[in-house]
Amino acid sequence: MFRTLCSYFWWERLWLPANLTWADLEDRDGRVYAKASDLYITIPMAFLFLIVRHLFETYVATPLAGLLGVKERVRLRAAPNAVLEKFYAATSRQPKQADVEMLSRKSGCSVRQVERWFRRRRNQDRPSLLKKFREASWRFTFYLLAFIAGMAVIVDKPWFYDLREVWKGYPIQSILPSQYWYYMIELSFYWSLLFSIASDVKRKDFKEQIIHHVATIILISFSWFANYVRAGTLIMALHDSSDYLLESAKMFNYANWRNTCNNIFIVFAAVFIVTRLVILPFWIMHCTVVYPLELYPAFFGYYFFNAMMGVLQLLHVFWAFLIIRMAHKFITGKVVEDERSDREETDNSEEEEEATKNGPLSNGHPPVLNNNHRKND
């Protein structure tokens, strides 16, 4: 049964153009070709990435946060209450008005106290500013190094300047060591993002992020199987070109460096729109959709690869909409904040009460973090 499924899965007509077989891609005469077995190493490498990330966040990102002046908020904790905690954990974090009144009767608290308890409890579960900064620092470091490495891999290749060269001799195209390691490292990193997504900072586009990671892993893996490596290196470098700018803007946002954050964000928005909404669909996707048909008839792999590219492009359009909306707010002088963010809640009455007792900073919301140009992430 298993062997039968494997034979169907690796059927040449799924992965390769007509009249070509896996035997055509066996190593010979010193030329090395991409093999599916090469990707086994990416799983242990992904776990290695998680270890390196932990060390980086502990010994590099945390001290850096202190140097940049990342200030953590002091959050008021919800008082222990078994009735409210049970409802929060089992039913809903956002009770409706009828639920609030019912919980008020059950717990012996007033409606106002129940509402305040849920606000505080939700804030407790939100990630800390330091956690966000550390995560952004790790991603910034990887994306920046990956972009530099990617450009080093492709900048001297003829297909970087002439996209028709991507398909010259396809699929009998040997693999260079630089291409091998670029692929293995990128794929391992995205596996590590998928493995850690449950513990990472959750945003409103959580589902879209999962779709993005899965689609990226499938695209990278398939392009390796089918020897779409030249196109794959171009696509990965294109994506890395803007990602490190976004992560650096987040870092300065968490440090409350408003002008630096806003300026980097505008640069990021421009690079994102040019690379994801112009270069990718009108150059790269044109290269993967049109040029192959000049060499061989369409096959399953051709349709599958471009369908996955279409999924990524739809996600780019979705994120571009959020980015443009944020940029518009910035240009018009309105509050600039991450449209995907889960905002921290405050209690005005509670703040007044605490300020009377302990001064204006006792509620853990110092004025320095409540400016009109802060982008909450």
Side-chain angles (χ1 to χ4, degrees):
M1 178 70 176
F2 179 74
R3 289 183 179 179
T4 303
L5 291 175
C6 283
S7 65
Y8 279 118
F9 183 80
W10 293 113
W11 185 37
E12 286 93 345
R13 295 291 68 78
L14 292 179
W15 303 94
L16 300 174
N19 302 321
L20 287 168
T21 66
W22 295 118
D24 296 315
L25 296 178
E26 292 180 357
D27 298 346
R28 63 173 65 87
D29 302 326
R31 297 170 66 87
V32 178
Y33 298 94
K35 306 176 193 62
S37 59
D38 294 335
L39 301 186
Y40 293 154
I41 194 176
T42 61
I43 300 301
M45 284 180 64
F47 287 103
L48 180 61
F49 261 119
L50 294 176
I51 296 172
V52 173
R53 173 182 174 175
H54 174 73
L55 296 174
F56 176 89
E57 291 184 350
T58 302
Y59 297 107
V60 178
T62 301
L64 181 61
L67 290 174
L68 292 180
V70 176
K71 294 181 174 64
E72 192 58 78
R73 294 185 178 195
V74 179
R75 293 173 176 172
L76 297 172
R77 299 184 65 83
N81 188 305
V83 173
L84 301 183
E85 185 66 39
K86 182 179 179 181
F87 185 92
Y88 180 88
T91 306
S92 174
R93 300 172 71 231
Q94 299 273 1
K96 297 178 181 179
Q97 187 59 35
D99 295 325
V100 170
E101 294 172 0
M102 178 269 293
L103 290 169
S104 174
R105 293 191 296 271
K106 281 189 175 182
S107 64
C109 302
S110 67
V111 169
R112 180 181 172 188
Q113 288 173 327
V114 171
E115 292 172 340
R116 181 180 300 169
W117 187 94
F118 274 90
R119 277 192 290 269
R120 289 186 176 185
R121 186 65 183 83
R122 286 191 294 268
N123 282 339
Q124 283 178 219
D125 284 349
R126 290 189 172 92
S128 68
L129 202 62
L130 179 59
K131 177 179 174 64
K132 293 179 180 180
F133 180 88
R134 287 163 46 148
E135 181 179 308
S137 299
W138 165 246
R139 296 191 183 196
F140 162 76
T141 302
F142 176 83
Y143 289 135
L144 178 60
L145 295 177
F147 175 62
I148 294 171
M151 292 304 298
V153 168
I154 64 176
V155 74
D156 61 339
K157 306 299 186 296
W159 54 86
F160 181 70
Y161 306 95
D162 181 3
L163 292 179
R164 289 186 180 276
E165 291 288 329
V166 167
W167 306 106
K168 187 176 180 179
Y170 177 84
I172 314 300
Q173 297 171 339
S174 57
I175 301 297
L176 299 173
S178 58
Q179 294 173 319
Y180 170 85
W181 284 111
Y182 186 38
Y183 254 80
M184 298 306 111
I185 290 171
E186 284 274 357
L187 183 55
S188 300
F189 178 75
Y190 279 101
W191 274 121
S192 74
L193 290 184
L194 192 62
F195 293 158
S196 64
I197 198 167
S199 60
D200 286 344
V201 176
K202 289 184 176 62
R203 298 180 175 87
K204 293 178 182 178
D205 63 346
F206 178 73
K207 293 179 180 178
E208 289 82 0
Q209 284 286 349
I210 294 178
I211 295 171
H212 174 267
H213 295 341
V214 171
T216 301
I217 289 170
I218 291 173
L219 263 175
I220 295 175
S221 301
F222 173 80
S223 65
W224 186 260
F225 296 160
N227 212 13
Y228 275 42
V229 173
R230 292 181 182 180
T233 54
L234 292 173
I235 294 167
M236 290 189 295
L238 186 75
H239 280 73
D240 291 335
S241 65
S242 61
D243 288 342
Y244 71 91
L245 292 170
L246 175 61
E247 299 304 330
S248 63
K250 290 180 184 179
M251 292 168 61
F252 286 111
N253 171 59
Y254 302 143
N256 202 40
W257 291 34
R258 292 180 295 166
N259 291 334
T260 305
C261 168
N262 292 337
N263 291 333
I264 293 176
F265 178 78
I266 293 301
V267 175
F268 157 74
V271 173
F272 184 95
I273 291 170
V274 170
T275 56
R276 310 291 181 92
L277 299 188
V278 179
I279 296 177
L280 185 64
F282 296 108
W283 270 270
I284 304 298
M285 290 187 67
H286 181 266
C287 168
T288 62
V289 172
V290 176
Y291 294 164
L293 298 182
E294 297 175 359
L295 302 174
Y296 53 79
F299 61 105
F300 171 80
Y302 164 86
Y303 292 117
F304 182 78
F305 181 84
N306 287 296
M308 289 293 100
M309 289 291 292
V311 171
L312 279 186
Q313 190 57 45
L314 289 175
L315 291 173
H316 295 158
V317 172
F318 168 74
W319 284 319
F321 169 74
L322 299 182
I323 291 167
I324 292 171
R325 189 160 66 177
M326 290 168 64
H328 178 262
K329 288 182 179 180
F330 169 73
I331 293 170
T332 56
K334 297 179 181 179
V335 177
V336 178
E337 57 187 22
D338 193 334
E339 298 286 350
R340 308 170 302 158
S341 65
D342 184 15
R343 302 176 190 175
E344 188 160 329
E345 300 164 281
T346 59
D347 257 327
N348 290 334
S349 59
E350 181 180 68
E351 291 171 3
E352 293 170 4
E353 183 180 312
E354 293 293 326
T356 302
K357 294 179 182 177
N358 302 316
L361 298 185
S362 64
N363 61 358
H365 299 282
V368 71
L369 293 182
N370 291 333
N371 56 73
N372 287 337
H373 294 287
R374 181 174 180 271
K375 178 170 68 67
N376 296 320
D377 190 285

